[in-house]
Amino acid sequence: MTSKYEITTATLQGDPPGKEQPLLPFIRLREVSYDYPTSRQGQEEFPALRDVSLDIYLGEFLAILGANGSGKSTLARHLNALLVPDKGTVEVAGNLSSDQLKRFTIRQLVGMVFQNPDNQIVATVVEEDVAFGLENLGLPRGEMQKRVAQVLQQFGLWEYRQLAPHLLSGGQKQRLAIAGVVAMAPQCIVFDEATAMLDPAGRREVLACMRQLCQQGHGIVLITQQVEEALMADRVVLLDEGRIATTGTPEEIFRQIDLLQRLQLEAPLLAELSWRLHGEGLLSEHRLRNPVEMAADICLSKRKI
Amino acid sequence: MGILRGITIGQHYPVDSLLHRLDPRTKILGTMVYLVALLGANDPLPFLAVAAVTVFLCTISHIPWRLLSNGLRPLRYIIIFTFVLHLFVTPGGTLLGQLGRLAVYSGGVWRGAQLAFRLVLMILTTSLLTLTTSPIVLTDGLERLLAIFKPLGLPAHELAMMMTIALRFIPILIEEADKISKAQIARGADLESGSLLQRLQSMLPILVPLFISALRRADELAIAMEARCYRGGEGRSQYIELSFSRADKVALLLLSLGLVATLGNMLWSWFSNGV
Ligand SMILES: Nc1ncnc2c1ncn2[C@@H]1O[C@H](COP(=O)(O)OP(=O)(O)OP(=O)(O)O)[C@@H](O)[C@H]1O
Ligand SMILES: [Mg+2]
């Protein structure tokens, strides 16, 4: 029998570049399929997830990108045992989610932030909401107080600790939701379209939090329909009708404008521009770059013509 | 949704006072004893005693009288209705006046005034409980009081959690109802005029989406709670520390005396009426 943590070829394929990698995948999905029991059978509908295999590492920033109904949320809910696969396995740090007794451990290891901050804040006071998850873990009061104070300061909510959550701004509320998750000290945090309901300022706040958490060594899984957000990831997984269409670095993914269009995703503006200019023969090469580089490349190409 | 705005029951007014500092368990028990005393106070003397206690509590709570009286406003029609109803249906005493087949007796005036005042006192004291206690401390106190009945199968933790969630979502749903009604008004809905039935009918396009949205929120919240390792009251610790201070002990002693006096009064009036 091979060791549980042995590296397979599948894990090597998606190695994020430029980062020191722990050897073992933290979350490991093997041929996961899932169909909602309530979904209409017999019609031409596909199951929510089909044969999804994916490895997620600590310290990595992974983006999962897909159109509406492509199965992103379903996949997210498998990562912390809110859903258990019909077929295949999900393993978090060696704990199988099919094992009822391990689910509590798995949820402790993998935190989850949802789209609507209003619907995930439980308590009527900021401070107490952060403590909600800690109470569930059964931590002693002193430890709770320490952690609550620490995360409230980390996320800039210390002054608001006695306030009712509905008095906070959208970005602050979502930061509170994140703080509540981070206080539980998970290793990996999944954000299921956690920026979708925020204004640009709130979105920037939350994205900054994610980056900070990733730098601290957490695994970050960012689920989004916003292609621009996926640009900051180390690795992007494209989901289509419950299947993984492709994975790669943002660079690799966003070069494939036709694929993005087929999956009803908007390409990043600069990628699309580069692709069109390349099609017109104004750019010799189609790749992802910033505006300054692009301008320089256009000048260079023109001179050559 | 202007009706919901003025309600003080469920609102917290954080200032410092003796009442604010008391343990929530003391205050919940106190409110219960108070309500029993209020319902038992049928004769003028006990009734005045209860009213005096209310005025005393309101005074030491450091809560502005205006806020307290605002809390009565949404219920003013019910209070007036109670008075008028009992005014006309209670016989006894001397005849004060007659209006066709309706007769007003002095007994009716006393009974109506008493019941109306009883309502006023009841509202004042229950709002005093929530005004001086933050919701979270209140639910925590309730949970710990109810835990006594856990061996009998009472879901203490679940009840307290339900209360917390209700308190958490009330402001959200009020805001949402506001938004929906504005949207309906923008589409030409008339919510202000017409008969009562017409107005109720025009509320329907507001209540239905509100209800659907509340269900969706409940669903999402349940998932979010589960994701944060929630699995009921089992193995849960508590963030808020509750402890009985010296003032609590004194208050509890006074409460026991109040309870004895109340029960004594009730027994006495029962026997004297019965004989
Ligand atoms: N509770 C449910 N019961 C039945 N079917 C569901 C349920 N939730 C989702 N589905 C179906 O599963 C498929 C995948 O849904 P999922 O929510 O995972 O997609 P998504 O990519 O997160 O979409 P969105 O961008 O809208 O959040 C969809 O076809 C959807 O209709
Ligand atoms: Mg989704």
Side-chain angles (χ1 to χ4, degrees):
Chain A
M1 228 187 104
T2 52
S3 148
K4 234 199 287 188
Y5 288 97
E6 202 178 53
I7 308 167
T8 62
T9 39
T11 69
L12 288 171
Q13 249 175 23
D15 261 2
K19 278 220 171 180
E20 200 185 325
Q21 273 306 311
L23 285 178
L24 312 171
F26 183 67
I27 303 177
R28 190 177 226 220
L29 288 88
R30 284 289 165 275
E31 286 163 12
V32 170
S33 295
Y34 184 83
D35 198 3
Y36 284 96
T38 50
S39 70
R40 282 156 291 165
Q41 297 288 324
Q43 297 189 14
E44 274 182 288
E45 283 195 23
F46 47 87
L49 285 182
R50 293 185 282 182
D51 291 326
V52 171
S53 294
L54 182 66
D55 286 316
I56 298 169
Y57 297 87
L58 293 183
E60 128 172 271
F61 200 129
L62 177 74
I64 296 176
L65 197 61
N68 275 324
S70 56
K72 302 182 298 291
S73 298
T74 311
L75 177 57
R77 285 173 192 187
H78 277 85
L79 300 181
N80 71 345
L82 287 175
L83 290 177
V84 178
D86 293 336
K87 274 194 275 197
T89 55
V90 178
E91 204 179 314
V92 179
N95 302 292
L96 278 171
S97 74
S98 52
D99 185 349
Q100 190 111 42
L101 299 171
K102 297 287 171 65
R103 283 181 204 159
F104 191 75
T105 317
I106 291 177
R107 287 182 193 149
Q108 205 175 331
L109 290 169
V110 182
M112 187 120 139
V113 181
F114 298 86
Q115 181 170 11
N116 190 340
D118 274 332
N119 298 352
Q120 51 188 317
I121 296 172
V122 185
T124 45
V125 177
V126 165
E127 181 179 21
E128 172 74 9
D129 186 68
V130 176
F132 172 77
L134 305 179
E135 291 178 323
N136 294 337
L137 296 181
L139 294 180
R141 189 169 291 130
E143 173 70 15
M144 285 200 262
Q145 283 164 345
K146 208 179 78 193
R147 290 205 200 176
V148 168
Q150 196 218 319
V151 295
L152 283 179
Q153 267 152 4
Q154 180 180 350
F155 292 98
L157 294 166
W158 180 246
E159 307 92 279
Y160 308 110
R161 65 189 176 280
Q162 292 292 341
L163 233 56
H166 72 271
L167 301 175
L168 300 177
S169 75
Q172 286 169 335
K173 272 191 256 190
Q174 197 60 295
R175 280 199 328 243
L176 171 58
I178 299 173
V181 171
V182 170
M184 297 172 75
Q187 308 250 31
C188 179
I189 304 177
V190 182
F191 295 85
D192 188 358
E193 302 199 41
T195 58
M197 297 190 69
L198 304 178
D199 56 8
R203 181 169 297 185
R204 270 196 301 276
E205 281 173 37
V206 170
L207 288 174
C209 290
M210 291 182 202
R211 227 164 306 174
Q212 184 193 2
L213 289 166
C214 186
Q215 273 155 15
Q216 290 167 357
H218 290 88
I220 300 291
V221 178
L222 168 63
I223 289 172
T224 183
Q225 293 187 50
Q226 299 281 315
V227 176
E228 307 285 341
E229 280 179 9
L231 277 174
M232 58 190 259
D234 297 319
R235 187 158 64 109
V236 180
V237 172
L238 268 190
L239 217 53
D240 177 36
E241 302 190 338
R243 267 200 271 253
I244 293 188
T246 177
T247 69
T249 60
E251 167 100 15
E252 283 160 8
I253 298 290
F254 296 124
R255 257 201 324 244
Q256 308 172 47
I257 306 286
D258 36 354
L259 175 67
L260 291 172
Q261 278 170 349
R262 210 173 62 238
L263 302 189
Q264 287 157 18
L265 290 165
E266 227 166 282
L269 202 59
L270 280 173
E272 173 124 27
L273 186 61
S274 152
W275 190 59
R276 301 242 174 249
L277 289 173
H278 179 64
E280 296 290 328
L282 281 169
L283 267 177
S284 52
E285 188 194 11
H286 166 54
R287 63 182 176 89
L288 216 60
R289 62 203 119 190
N290 65 34
V292 180
E293 283 174 336
M294 188 179 290
D297 282 356
I298 294 173
C299 295
L300 208 70
S301 309
K302 271 195 90 171
R303 235 170 272 145
K304 274 188 203 149
I305 295 168
Chain B
M1 289 295 113
I3 317 166
L4 295 172
R5 282 261 166 70
I7 288 184
T8 39
I9 298 180
Q11 246 180 47
H12 178 46
Y13 188 78
V15 287
D16 190 37
S17 80
L18 183 65
L19 280 192
H20 283 80
R21 267 172 277 141
L22 283 183
D23 188 282
R25 288 167 290 185
T26 312
K27 285 188 266 190
I28 295 169
L29 287 175
T31 310
M32 279 160 54
V33 170
Y34 178 90
L35 290 178
V36 173
L38 185 62
L39 293 178
N42 281 318
D43 299 327
L45 202 65
F47 190 80
L48 282 179
V50 173
V53 169
T54 314
V55 172
F56 172 71
L57 291 176
C58 289
T59 314
I60 64 167
S61 72
H62 292 175
I63 287 168
W65 283 99
R66 182 135 49 88
L67 193 64
L68 286 167
S69 58
N70 272 352
L72 295 172
R73 206 191 271 163
L75 298 166
R76 62 188 182 274
Y77 295 119
I78 296 176
I79 296 168
I80 293 170
F81 178 73
T82 308
F83 176 71
V84 172
L85 185 73
H86 287 276
L87 190 65
F88 288 117
V89 301
T90 320
T94 49
L95 185 69
L96 294 178
Q98 198 143 15
L99 205 97
R101 292 175 62 191
L102 291 171
V104 176
Y105 292 94
S106 63
V109 176
W110 162 242
R111 186 81 188 138
Q114 190 195 20
L115 289 177
F117 265 109
R118 186 180 276 176
L119 258 179
V120 169
L121 293 180
M122 205 187 268
I123 297 162
L124 275 183
T125 324
T126 35
S127 8
L128 205 56
L129 174 66
T130 56
L131 281 167
T132 60
T133 323
S134 80
I136 191 123
V137 172
L138 192 62
T139 42
D140 256 42
L142 199 67
E143 178 173 354
R144 280 178 233 192
L145 275 180
L146 292 178
I148 308 168
F149 301 109
K150 238 189 203 160
L152 301 178
L154 188 85
H157 167 74
E158 283 73 12
L159 285 173
M161 184 53 82
M162 271 163 60
M163 214 174 117
T164 307
I165 291 171
L167 287 172
R168 158 91 184 93
F169 278 87
I170 284 169
I172 295 177
L173 291 178
I174 289 177
E175 200 177 302
E176 191 152 299
D178 223 27
K179 252 188 233 162
I180 298 173
S181 57
K182 282 204 186 101
Q184 299 293 8
I185 289 168
R187 285 183 206 151
D190 184 5
L191 305 179
E192 302 293 328
S193 59
S195 70
L196 189 66
L197 192 70
Q198 277 170 336
R199 266 193 284 176
L200 278 180
Q201 246 170 15
S202 59
M203 285 295 275
L204 214 60
I206 295 168
L207 291 179
V208 172
L210 192 65
F211 193 68
I212 291 172
S213 143
L215 284 181
R216 205 199 57 234
R217 284 177 190 282
D219 201 37
E220 284 184 22
L221 184 73
I223 291 171
M225 284 168 69
E226 211 182 331
R228 282 166 82 184
C229 292
Y230 182 70
R231 45 177 185 180
E234 217 62 29
R236 229 168 160 262
S237 53
Q238 266 159 334
Y239 180 65
I240 302 236
E241 189 171 9
L242 296 183
S243 63
F244 288 114
S245 67
R246 200 123 115 254
D248 281 301
K249 285 168 194 157
V250 173
L252 284 171
L253 190 71
L254 288 176
L255 267 182
S256 334
L257 291 179
L259 188 62
V260 169
T262 303
L263 293 178
N265 171 50
M266 282 164 87
L267 277 178
W268 188 75
S269 60
W270 188 55
F271 274 120
S272 52
N273 284 346
V275 172

